[in-house]
Amino acid sequence: ELLACPICFDALLRKGPPGINQFAIAKSGFQCSTCKRSFSSRNEYLDLTVTSGAKDYVEVPPTGTELFRNPLVSLIYERGWRQNFERSGFPGPDEELKMALEYLRPAFGGVIVDVSCGSGLFTRRLAKCGSFAAVIALDFSESMLRQCAEFVKQDKSLRTADIALVRADVIRLPFASGTVSAIHAGAALHCWPSPSSAVAEICRVLKPGGVFVATTFLSNSIFPFLPQRRSSSLRYWTEKELEELCKLCGLVDYQKKIKGNFIMLTARK
């Protein structure tokens, strides 16, 4: 079982049909082999957060995280929000996928996790390209995962695709160490409350030689002396910061492509 307990990181025991696809997961129950914690699917997605099933305990995530849990933001993300990224140099989803696949080639045939998948803009494209055994769409936002599930249902070409939807925290990924072939994070790094914790966690779950590909916003390269916004909800990066972040977290062979304030970076385990 690829999926693991977010507490122990030990493999989950599954009661139900095997497979990394939404049909099999929706029909299954999961329990940690070590701490005996149980996890269940909510039809649209499997909740593998630490607080899954909590009745009394409540956590208040950072403002940026809460923004993307808003159903309205989930609804408009592919209906206008994402298109605004072109002003910063983002070439558009189809071209971004083409660029990403060049870096992801060593991971072809394995399982890829689309971290912070949002409404599944790249999850669907990664599944359609046919280069991976399965695609796991992972996000912390319940509303984004529901929107992702709806888009997958509407796309008839994806009815037999191996796509699984999982709710999880990027700093506590529900996979055992060294089990994932590739991780993609499209326009997400700048939203993570603790990017260093997230990238370190990504390094933990990647197989040796596994590939990490991400896109994000660079700081103003025309006036680099001006202060850049850095907060818990959004930040802009310098290219050197991103390279150092990957190295500090144990990733190697850092490469990048830059257009305006857009950067696509990749590194390997």
Side-chain angles (χ1 to χ4, degrees):
E1 181 65 59
L2 179 67
L3 299 172
C5 173
I7 301 167
C8 307
F9 296 132
D10 287 335
L12 294 176
L13 301 175
R14 181 191 301 214
K15 186 177 181 180
I20 305 177
N21 59 72
Q22 204 53 27
F23 172 81
I25 287 177
K27 297 290 185 181
S28 300
F30 297 85
Q31 186 179 58
C32 176
S33 57
T34 301
C35 72
K36 306 305 179 183
R37 177 80 182 275
S38 295
F39 301 90
S40 61
S41 172
R42 295 176 178 270
N43 295 321
E44 293 94 348
Y45 59 85
L46 174 64
D47 193 341
L48 291 180
T49 58
V50 172
T51 56
S52 172
K55 297 180 180 179
D56 299 313
Y57 179 76
V58 177
E59 282 188 343
V60 180
T63 304
T65 303
E66 283 294 272
L67 173 66
F68 289 99
R69 295 177 74 190
N70 187 311
L72 178 60
V73 174
S74 304
L75 181 67
I76 67 174
Y77 186 77
E78 291 189 40
R79 300 177 175 92
W81 182 299
R82 187 50 162 76
Q83 287 79 348
N84 288 323
F85 290 10
E86 295 177 12
R87 298 177 183 178
S88 295
F90 277 67
D94 291 335
E95 182 61 26
E96 290 167 48
L97 175 70
K98 183 179 177 181
M99 294 166 62
L101 289 176
E102 293 178 15
Y103 289 139
L104 290 166
R105 189 172 298 277
F108 283 3
V111 174
I112 185 169
V113 181
D114 190 17
V115 172
S116 295
C117 68
S119 56
L121 184 67
F122 286 98
T123 299
R124 304 192 303 274
R125 286 170 169 79
L126 288 166
K128 286 181 180 180
C129 77
S131 298
F132 303 97
V135 181
I136 297 178
L138 185 147
D139 206 291
F140 188 76
S141 168
E142 305 94 322
S143 59
M144 281 293 192
L145 287 169
R146 285 192 287 268
Q147 182 63 76
C148 178
E150 185 60 32
F151 279 141
V152 169
K153 289 176 184 177
Q154 292 173 5
D155 193 331
K156 295 181 180 179
S157 66
L158 292 174
R159 288 184 178 176
T160 60
D162 285 321
I163 300 176
L165 277 62
V166 175
R167 182 174 183 243
D169 194 326
V170 70
I171 63 171
R172 200 118 185 129
L173 294 173
F175 309 105
S177 299
T179 57
V180 177
S181 298
I183 287 185
H184 172 267
L189 267 169
H190 48 275
C191 298
W192 294 342
S194 178
S196 59
S197 298
V199 177
E201 181 70 348
I202 285 169
C203 184
R204 180 187 69 80
V205 304
L206 281 175
K207 293 180 177 180
V211 185
F212 172 48
V213 175
T215 58
T216 187
F217 295 93
L218 288 177
S219 59
N220 194 319
S221 57
I222 300 176
F223 304 108
F225 53 85
L226 293 178
Q228 302 298 324
R229 184 180 176 190
R230 296 172 185 238
S231 69
S232 61
S233 59
L234 181 66
R235 69 172 292 163
Y236 303 101
W237 305 83
T238 66
E239 195 274 324
K240 288 296 184 183
E241 282 182 306
L242 291 168
E243 182 176 7
E244 185 174 40
L245 173 63
C246 289
K247 289 182 178 179
L248 288 172
C249 294
L251 297 174
V252 299
D253 193 23
Y254 173 88
Q255 300 177 57
K256 84 283 187 180
K257 294 178 182 178
I258 297 173
K259 179 184 177 183
N261 295 100
F262 162 85
I263 182 171
M264 175 176 286
L265 62 95
T266 185
R268 295 183 298 105
K269 173 72 171 282

